[in-house]
Amino acid sequence: MRPKSQRRLLFPSPSVLSGAEREPQVNDFESLSKKALGEGAFGEVYKVRHKISKELYAIKVVSKQKVVSANLLPQLRREIRIMYSLSHPHIVKLYNHFEDDNNFYLVLELAEGGTLWQRLARFKSFDEASAAQYIRELILALEYLHSRDPPIIHRDIKPENLLLDKEGRDGRIKVADFGWSNFFNAERTRMTYCGTLDYLAPEMINQQGHTTSLDLWNLGVLLFELLTGSAPFQAPTQAAMFEKILKVRVAFPKNFPPLAKDLISRLLRAIPDERLSLIEVMNHPWMQTHQPIRPTMTQTVQREALPCQLEAGDETSDIASEDPIKPFQETEYRVLSKINNPREEEKKLEVVPSPQNKSPSPVKQAKQQAPSNLENELKQTRDENKKFQEQIDDKEAELSRVNTRIQELENIVAKLDAEYEDKRKMEKSLKDQLAEKSNRNAELAELQEDESKLYTEYEGLRAKCLEKETELNLLKTEIENMEKLSKEKTQQASDLERDVDRVKSDIDQTKMKYNKSKSEIQEQFAKISGEIDELQRSLGNKDRDSSVVSVEALLAFTQENLDILKNRARVENELLKQYQDANERLIQLDNKYSEMRLAYENYLNELKKHSVNREAEFGNIKPANINSQGELESIKDRLRECIGKQYSNKLLNEELVHLQSLVNQYEKSLGLAKKQSQDLDYLRQVNQKKSSSQQYYKK
Ligand code: ATP
Ligand code: MG
């Protein structure tokens, strides 16, 4: 019987309850280093070796006084009972427990690789494949915890609580420190607020209650920290930090892997129900891209009831011997002092007596007991045998179940191998595609460069084209002007032609009149000459009298007139000659004029044709085909030619003007001829007077 001060507060450990060993003590273990593996709010964790079995363990020492004063004893009992029932490759196993005056001692599976926090501190951050593997193993542990009935929420997922089973890259995740928050909640929250706030979820800040999705928020924070080496929410003050968390303002660094960013964004949701589930995380493309880097278990979780309720009831009992709600199974705990060779065990127990417990070992006790009642003993043994037989039957049934399970698992493994092979192939083809893409990209970049060069060339040609267009327009305007001018000239020429025709007909008429008057004059002249001759003859025969005198005077007068007439006829002949010369010259000019006109029309037609050709040519101009300098020169030549031809038109015009002056001259001579014809009319009148006087004289 323990003294009052040593009253037991926890139930005896399963191995003690089963009678397999006496209650373990601190002295059964040797500490392997003075320094604790880690420290917590309620105690420390040490690396130890069990003196008898030589097995290594981590012992978590929890202060009795702290637990009792926090009124957490009933919850601790419940929690320890639940921890025994948990058995998962990625969860630190609780093997045994004991207590002394000051502390509770939890004998835990030792995680040799230390914490993920220590590893992260060493490497600053992890590559994506390693981070994905840690997350994968953590998900397996959380799936197991969440599938308990009621579900166990870890509540404190962070690198310090994630242990590694061995050192180096191959260390697998072992979740530690889970479930404590179920009853250490108030204290833990206070502690957390004093320490880091990095993993605090919005629902914890709002104190609005939480579900298993709290662990998914922490999973998101953890993934961010594993990839970057720092927490996603950082602020100088607690208030600013709370605001950042509540508004989920995550500062992703530049070049953060997009798929990982997507996964984190789907986990860090202020509304818990909006967060991905564990299965969805496992199936997320980022997780699928980073396949397991070491053999990883597959699991189909089954909902299993816990041996007792998680939540604290109104129970206030602190009776140490309080029975756990469900009896322990052998798989749930470990007999610490059990070794493979029972003789050895016996020897060791005799050689190394516990310094604290001076009572003889259980084996010695058994030896000291003399058989008092053999029958009773036999009965007891038979009962025990029966029990053992039952246990053997159970074990065999379990073995066959396990064999079936192994078969199932082998099938799954084969399927996974096939899937793995497929994925590898897919990865290879994706890599090939990526290489192809980068080649294409390089080609594209070259093409883009070419394109920009071509564009510059095209711009240059376009500018030249515009220049040409302007030149062509100028040329067109010039041609139009010339056409207008030529029309005017044609009009002038036809007017001139008409004038010339008119003058010609005038000349012809005058000529006819002149010829007529000339023949008349000659006739008259002959007649007058005859008369004169006759008069002279008759005068020779007659006496000279007064009438003779008057006839003589008349004769003299007529003679005089005749001379004038002769004179006139001579002048007229000269004029006629001049007129004939001029007429000849006119005919020559007329011919020359028609020749020039023909040439001018031909030239005009050519010009028009050329203009049409040029327009067509311009329509066909393509930027790439312009031989700019040569083309420009030829256009300039053509322009010069046109200007030259315009000059020749000027000559033609001068020729026309000259012709006009000649016509004027003819018109003048025509006026002279008219005057002569008037003179002739006067002579006729005189002649008439003369004949009338002759008639009178005859009478
Ligand atoms: P609480 O304050 O709730 O008791 P805690 O954080 O102090 O929790 P744990 O997290 O369980 O307690 O342990 C504290 C530290 O001890 C861990 O961060 C780790 O370094 C170390 N540790 C805990 N358990 C083990 C173990 N099984 N193997 C190796 N080291 C361990
Ligand atoms: Mg911890």
Side-chain angles (χ1 to χ4, degrees):
M1 189 72 183
R2 289 178 184 229
K4 180 84 177 138
S5 63
Q6 290 183 356
R7 210 155 59 98
R8 190 188 287 283
L9 294 180
L10 290 177
F11 52 85
S13 86
S15 66
V16 175
L17 270 179
S18 71
E21 63 183 344
R22 60 158 173 78
E23 186 182 18
Q25 297 172 354
V26 180
N27 287 344
D28 293 347
F29 302 89
E30 52 181 329
S31 180
L32 294 180
S33 83
K34 278 194 178 165
K35 202 170 165 264
L37 288 171
E39 284 179 21
F42 291 83
E44 300 87 39
V45 179
Y46 295 92
K47 182 178 177 178
V48 298
R49 182 193 285 130
H50 192 263
K51 287 175 183 168
I52 297 170
S53 66
K54 302 291 181 209
E55 290 281 355
L56 297 177
Y57 295 103
I59 285 196
K60 185 163 183 167
V61 184
V62 179
S63 157
K64 266 188 175 178
Q65 188 258 321
K66 282 186 183 172
V67 171
V68 171
S69 60
N71 212 11
L72 292 168
L73 193 58
Q75 287 132 310
L76 177 61
R77 280 188 204 132
R78 211 173 268 111
E79 197 62 35
I80 289 177
R81 178 63 193 94
I82 288 166
M83 282 175 71
Y84 276 121
S85 77
L86 299 178
S87 172
H88 191 273
H90 293 299
I91 293 174
V92 169
K93 177 76 191 150
L94 171 69
Y95 287 132
N96 219 314
H97 75 274
F98 55 93
E99 61 182 88
D100 63 16
D101 287 353
N102 302 317
N103 300 307
F104 302 116
Y105 300 91
L106 305 183
V107 183
L108 296 161
E109 175 187 4
L110 175 69
E112 303 262 22
T115 64
L116 195 58
W117 185 83
Q118 287 159 341
R119 202 166 159 72
L120 186 61
R122 196 166 145 209
F123 292 102
K124 305 295 176 234
S125 66
F126 294 116
D127 59 276
E128 287 184 77
S130 304
Q133 183 62 23
Y134 289 137
I135 294 290
R136 182 173 289 110
E137 290 167 0
L138 176 58
I139 289 172
L140 290 167
L142 288 176
E143 263 182 351
Y144 177 81
L145 291 176
H146 291 182
S147 68
R148 302 302 91 189
D149 188 15
I152 295 176
I153 308 165
H154 188 286
R155 294 175 170 86
D156 201 13
I157 294 293
K158 58 182 180 185
E160 295 91 312
N161 289 335
L162 299 173
L163 310 180
L164 298 166
D165 65 350
K166 53 183 154 186
E167 282 185 18
R169 201 175 140 84
D170 289 343
R172 289 157 199 264
I173 291 285
K174 292 273 179 187
V175 179
D177 203 9
F178 61 88
W180 288 99
S181 48
N182 275 331
F183 45 90
F184 284 171
N185 205 8
E187 183 64 11
R188 172 66 60 100
T189 309
R190 192 183 61 74
M191 289 293 296
T192 312
Y193 280 24
C194 295
T196 172
L197 303 172
D198 294 340
Y199 281 72
L200 207 58
E203 59 265 45
M204 296 300 271
I205 296 173
N206 291 334
Q207 300 190 329
Q208 63 191 39
H210 55 271
T211 62
T212 47
S213 51
L214 174 66
D215 287 340
L216 283 137
W217 172 275
N218 288 342
L219 196 69
V221 179
L222 177 75
L223 176 54
F224 186 97
E225 193 167 354
L226 293 186
L227 290 174
T228 63
S230 51
F233 306 103
Q234 281 169 7
T237 64
Q238 183 172 296
M241 184 78 167
F242 282 5
E243 190 178 329
K244 270 198 174 173
I245 293 172
L246 290 173
K247 291 188 176 161
V248 197
R249 275 204 230 108
V250 186
F252 285 104
K254 261 189 187 172
N255 304 328
F256 194 85
L259 279 178
K261 186 175 175 181
D262 180 79
L263 175 54
I264 292 168
S265 309
R266 288 168 193 272
L267 286 169
L268 297 184
R269 291 282 162 89
I271 300 168
D273 286 348
E274 287 179 0
R275 293 169 202 156
L276 291 184
S277 69
L278 287 169
I279 295 173
E280 285 168 335
V281 179
M282 203 64 126
N283 292 331
H284 188 274
W286 183 74
M287 291 293 288
Q288 296 296 320
T289 317
H290 302 289
Q291 288 294 309
I293 54 171
R294 51 179 166 260
T296 307
M297 67 175 296
T298 47
Q299 77 180 356
T300 14
V301 285
Q302 283 173 347
R303 202 154 183 77
E304 262 178 47
L306 291 172
C308 56
Q309 287 301 305
L310 277 177
E311 300 304 323
D314 53 6
E315 171 190 16
T316 47
S317 160
D318 61 351
I319 307 159
S321 57
E322 180 195 16
D323 279 339
I325 290 157
K326 224 169 134 187
F328 293 102
Q329 292 176 3
E330 268 183 54
T331 47
E332 287 181 325
Y333 61 91
R334 183 180 279 188
V335 181
L336 299 179
S337 55
K338 192 174 167 186
I339 50 170
N340 288 339
N341 184 349
R343 276 169 178 271
E344 191 71 14
E345 180 189 6
E346 190 180 319
K347 218 171 93 192
K348 278 193 176 158
L349 283 169
E350 279 170 351
V351 172
V352 191
S354 166
Q356 299 271 309
N357 190 351
K358 297 291 179 198
S359 62
S361 73
V363 181
K364 255 190 175 174
Q365 272 181 340
K367 273 189 178 176
Q368 282 166 3
Q369 278 174 8
S372 57
N373 191 338
L374 275 171
E375 258 182 31
N376 275 351
E377 215 172 299
L378 191 66
K379 193 174 172 285
Q380 230 179 337
T381 315
R382 273 187 192 143
D383 285 349
E384 267 176 22
N385 274 351
K386 206 178 157 193
K387 252 194 215 165
F388 281 136
Q389 191 55 49
E390 278 170 9
Q391 277 181 4
I392 287 168
D393 290 346
D394 284 352
K395 290 282 169 209
E396 273 173 1
E398 203 183 322
L399 196 68
S400 88
R401 274 205 308 279
V402 167
N403 278 338
T404 327
R405 183 77 187 128
I406 286 171
Q407 191 57 46
E408 279 172 17
L409 286 175
E410 274 172 0
N411 290 344
I412 291 171
V413 166
K415 215 171 120 193
L416 279 175
D417 277 348
E419 268 178 30
Y420 183 62
E421 194 47 43
D422 284 354
K423 288 267 155 69
R424 268 173 65 90
K425 277 183 194 158
M426 209 164 109
E427 190 190 349
K428 198 178 168 296
S429 91
L430 281 174
K431 274 184 184 160
D432 290 349
Q433 280 177 21
L434 199 70
E436 174 81 25
K437 283 239 169 83
S438 63
N439 283 347
R440 289 256 164 85
N441 275 349
E443 274 173 28
L444 195 71
E446 271 175 32
L447 282 175
Q448 274 170 348
E449 210 174 289
D450 285 356
E451 193 192 344
S452 78
K453 270 188 205 159
L454 279 174
Y455 188 72
T456 326
E457 249 174 63
Y458 165 77
E459 283 293 310
L461 286 172
R462 227 173 92 90
K464 278 180 190 166
C465 229
L466 283 175
E467 244 174 61
K468 293 274 160 199
E469 208 175 343
T470 324
E471 268 177 39
L472 194 70
N473 283 339
L474 280 174
L475 206 64
K476 269 187 188 171
T477 327
E478 239 171 78
I479 288 169
E480 274 168 18
N481 287 343
M482 276 171 67
E483 271 177 344
K484 223 165 105 191
L485 202 73
S486 91
K487 251 186 205 163
E488 275 172 23
K489 292 283 172 214
T490 319
Q491 183 64 38
Q492 277 179 10
S494 70
D495 287 353
L496 208 61
E497 248 178 311
R498 219 173 39 244
D499 286 350
V500 168
D501 285 347
R502 194 167 42 78
V503 169
K504 267 185 194 169
S505 81
D506 278 358
I507 289 172
D508 285 346
Q509 273 179 15
T510 318
K511 207 173 148 188
M512 262 163 61
K513 269 187 190 170
Y514 170 76
N515 284 339
K516 203 179 153 198
S517 68
K518 195 184 163 191
S519 62
E520 267 177 25
I521 287 171
Q522 273 169 354
E523 230 174 71
Q524 195 75 26
F525 185 67
K527 207 176 154 192
I528 290 172
S529 305
E531 276 174 15
I532 288 169
D533 287 347
E534 204 182 313
L535 276 173
Q536 274 175 341
R537 238 181 293 125
S538 63
L539 271 176
N541 298 335
K542 284 180 182 178
D543 296 331
R544 289 186 59 95
D545 59 9
S546 60
S547 63
V548 171
V549 173
S550 73
V551 170
E552 272 176 356
L554 187 66
L555 195 67
F557 175 74
T558 307
Q559 197 71 44
E560 215 175 281
N561 273 339
L562 198 65
D563 287 345
I564 291 168
L565 219 56
K566 271 182 188 165
N567 231 7
R568 290 262 165 140
R570 203 174 49 250
V571 170
E572 233 160 61
N573 273 340
E574 265 172 34
L575 272 175
L576 186 66
K577 208 171 163 265
Q578 265 183 23
Y579 160 76
Q580 274 167 351
D581 285 352
N583 203 27
E584 230 166 78
R585 175 100 177 104
L586 184 67
I587 287 162
Q588 274 174 8
L589 279 174
D590 201 22
N591 289 341
K592 201 175 172 190
Y593 168 75
S594 339
E595 256 173 46
M596 281 174 81
R597 212 179 127 79
L598 203 70
Y600 174 67
E601 268 165 13
N602 283 344
Y603 159 70
L604 258 187
N605 284 338
E606 219 176 276
L607 207 63
K608 267 182 198 164
K609 226 161 83 191
H610 172 69
S611 154
V612 169
N613 285 346
R614 286 293 288 148
E615 270 178 54
E617 217 175 274
F618 180 73
N620 288 336
I621 287 175
K622 282 177 195 150
N625 292 340
I626 290 181
N627 171 6
S628 53
Q629 201 51 43
E631 196 80 358
L632 191 66
E633 283 309 316
S634 94
I635 287 176
K636 278 182 183 168
D637 286 348
R638 276 171 189 275
L639 198 65
R640 267 183 229 120
E641 205 181 312
C642 284
I643 293 166
K645 284 190 177 168
Q646 215 179 343
Y647 277 122
S648 70
N649 276 351
K650 223 175 183 176
L651 286 178
L652 191 72
N653 194 32
E654 277 165 12
E655 199 62 57
L656 279 173
V657 169
H658 178 64
L659 207 62
Q660 185 78 51
S661 75
L662 278 179
V663 167
N664 288 343
Q665 230 178 327
Y666 298 144
E667 273 177 341
K668 265 188 202 162
S669 54
L670 202 68
L672 206 66
K674 270 182 187 167
K675 208 180 161 212
Q676 280 174 0
S677 136
Q678 279 167 4
D679 286 350
L680 213 61
D681 285 345
Y682 171 71
L683 273 178
R684 245 178 244 137
Q685 279 171 10
V686 170
N687 209 22
Q688 233 165 0
K689 271 183 196 166
K690 193 191 88 184
S691 32
S692 59
S693 66
Q694 267 178 350
Q695 272 171 5
Y696 168 75
Y697 176 69
K698 270 177 192 170
K699 273 175 203 170

